[in-house]
Amino acid sequence: MVNYLNIPAIVTILVVLAVIATFLNSLSIYIIVTTRHLWKRNSSLLLMNLLVVHLFQGVFVFPFYAGKKVKQDFLPAQIFGNGFRLSYMLSFYGACLGILLIAIDRFLATYLLTKYKTIVTRKRVKITLAVFWIYIIGLCMIPFIDTSGPQMKTKFDNSTNQTIEYEAKKFYVYNQQRVWVLFMLIVNTALPYVLVVMCYSFIAYRLKSLQIYHPTNIGQPVKKSKYAVNKTNETDELKPLRKKDVEKHKQVTKLTFILTLAYGVFWTPSIIYYPLKADCKSCFPENYEDSELEQYVGFITKYLAFLDAAVAPLVYCFMHREFQKSLIRIKSKLLKLPLPEPDVPSTSNDTTLLQ
């Protein structure tokens, strides 16, 4: 197959993106671990899970893809090919289902309100993440299972002057069967998309209710609203909520929504393109396979997906207030400047709203 891509330029672009993604995600993970207000929140574990997925992309997926493109004799092509396909699948479904977990977490925080902290405990979040990765790794290893049976070869035996048959040693190839691809696209891609949309639709409806319900003073009577989910019991539950806390809740939900939107923008081209390429030959021009156009389109769709690894940490580093404060502290330490005064944590009941 003729390679139409400029390999040195491609490798350079991948290396630059790998360095940026590795640095930004490592910095974001460091900020979460070293910032008390962030680390104590159970939902931060879900954010860290997503950041680790993107860090995995920068450390493994991008280098494997660069090695796969180089294709020099001294490089074991099959190792780079299999390594890229496996790592790419792990990062894709890790990001896809990780975004779903974050959306479900925001749904529970919005639905449960002050009960959220007692129900969504740190132990339960850790167990969920453990099951989450066992499920993803197990499914992504299935294409390595070879169902073709033993491969037999023949060779000439000089001692007996006869041709003998022997079982050749296999090198397992990451072969994505059609049934596996359809299952992963429907169950682990399309269904999470639908659930995420449903979660954020409910969140938007609920936040509108909260915005109307909260009083400026706790002792002030609460106004009834047609947007209330449960009009008989919700008044007492919403009394402790202040405008400041509702706004904080809206801000974090907005950031998680932007993360989800970024994932959709950067990954959707790949999600649409590769199933069409595999099953709809009439959707592409004749002689499209192995053509210059096919190689450029394939690289662009993959590179768009790779960009999400740099965009996700940028959303939290530059839009989340706690991240901004931590970045200022890190900069002050590096430049030996006076550290800013720490914020005094709130002691009211509404701190349980958003953990």
Side-chain angles (χ1 to χ4, degrees):
M1 181 184 72
V2 179
N3 198 331
Y4 297 98
L5 298 176
N6 187 328
I7 298 303
I10 295 296
V11 172
T12 301
I13 292 172
L14 290 170
V15 169
V16 171
L17 183 59
V19 172
I20 294 174
T22 301
F23 171 75
L24 289 176
N25 286 284
S26 299
L27 177 62
S28 299
I29 292 170
Y30 172 79
I31 288 174
I32 291 176
V33 173
T34 57
T35 304
R36 182 172 60 88
H37 298 304
L38 289 173
W39 180 244
K40 71 178 182 180
R41 295 173 185 163
N42 296 334
S43 57
S44 292
L45 294 178
L46 300 178
L47 173 61
M48 273 193 60
N49 173 68
L50 186 63
L51 294 172
V52 168
V53 170
H54 293 315
L55 179 62
F56 175 80
Q57 284 183 289
V59 175
F60 292 101
V61 180
F62 302 164
F64 271 126
Y65 187 59
K68 179 174 173 287
K69 286 297 180 183
V70 171
K71 292 184 178 179
Q72 298 293 334
D73 293 338
F74 63 89
L75 291 175
Q78 287 182 313
I79 292 178
F80 277 96
N82 288 336
F84 168 70
R85 293 184 186 95
L86 175 60
S87 60
Y88 183 74
M89 289 296 104
L90 287 172
S91 62
F92 170 64
Y93 291 110
C96 184
L97 298 180
I99 287 292
L100 175 62
L101 289 182
I102 291 175
I104 293 174
D105 175 72
R106 291 299 88 213
F107 165 81
L108 292 176
T110 309
Y111 179 75
L112 298 173
L113 297 175
T114 55
K115 299 177 183 178
Y116 168 79
K117 187 178 179 181
T118 58
I119 295 177
V120 183
T121 63
R122 203 169 189 83
K123 181 179 179 181
R124 288 172 178 171
V125 173
K126 289 180 178 179
I127 292 174
T128 300
L129 287 175
V131 174
F132 167 88
W133 280 110
I134 291 172
Y135 174 76
I136 290 177
I137 293 173
L139 286 178
C140 290
M141 293 298 292
I142 289 177
F144 276 121
I145 299 175
D146 189 355
T147 58
S148 62
Q151 294 181 355
M152 306 304 295
K153 291 187 177 182
T154 59
K155 66 177 181 180
F156 184 77
D157 188 353
N158 293 325
S159 60
T160 60
N161 291 327
Q162 292 181 350
T163 300
I164 59 174
E165 191 176 42
Y166 69 98
E167 183 178 341
K169 185 178 179 180
K170 285 187 178 181
F171 186 91
Y172 289 92
V173 177
Y174 199 74
N175 184 23
Q176 297 163 287
Q177 299 290 340
R178 178 179 173 81
V179 175
W180 181 88
V181 172
L182 289 175
F183 172 82
M184 297 297 277
L185 287 175
I186 295 172
V187 177
N188 297 315
T189 305
L191 181 59
Y193 260 74
V194 174
L195 293 176
V196 166
V197 171
M198 292 174 62
C199 285
Y200 280 107
S201 298
F202 173 84
I203 290 169
Y205 176 87
R206 182 75 157 175
L207 286 177
K208 193 170 184 180
S209 173
L210 292 178
Q211 188 175 9
I212 294 176
Y213 255 105
H214 67 76
T216 55
N217 297 308
I218 292 181
Q220 189 173 342
V222 180
K223 182 181 177 182
K224 289 287 185 178
S225 169
K226 65 179 181 179
Y227 296 104
V229 178
N230 187 344
K231 294 183 181 181
T232 57
N233 301 324
E234 191 161 284
T235 300
D236 293 336
E237 185 181 5
L238 293 174
K239 279 183 179 179
L241 305 182
R242 301 178 304 176
K243 182 176 181 180
K244 176 182 176 181
D245 304 296
V246 175
E247 291 301 321
K248 180 181 177 183
H249 188 56
K250 289 172 65 177
Q251 180 202 17
V252 175
T253 301
K254 178 182 176 181
L255 291 179
T256 57
F257 176 75
I258 293 174
L259 274 179
T260 304
L261 185 62
Y263 164 80
V265 169
F266 290 111
W267 284 93
T268 298
S270 294
I271 296 171
I272 296 175
Y273 171 69
Y274 287 105
L276 285 178
K277 183 173 176 288
D279 297 324
C280 184
K281 302 300 182 181
S282 61
C283 297
F284 300 92
E286 295 182 7
N287 302 322
Y288 178 75
E289 195 70 25
D290 297 333
S291 66
E292 182 178 6
L293 177 62
E294 189 269 341
Q295 292 185 25
Y296 277 103
V297 171
F299 174 75
I300 291 171
T301 53
K302 281 190 174 67
Y303 196 77
L304 281 174
F306 294 162
L307 282 176
D308 188 45
V311 171
L314 282 176
V315 169
Y316 262 77
C317 281
F318 292 95
M319 299 183 67
H320 196 292
R321 292 175 185 174
E322 293 290 347
F323 271 74
Q324 293 170 357
K325 294 173 184 177
S326 297
L327 287 172
I328 293 173
R329 293 189 185 100
I330 293 173
K331 180 181 177 181
S332 300
K333 288 181 181 180
L334 293 175
L335 299 178
K336 297 182 180 179
L337 299 174
L339 293 175
E341 294 183 4
D343 293 336
V344 178
S346 173
T347 56
S348 62
N349 293 334
D350 44 44
T351 55
T352 60
L353 222 191
L354 213 103
Q355 299 295 331

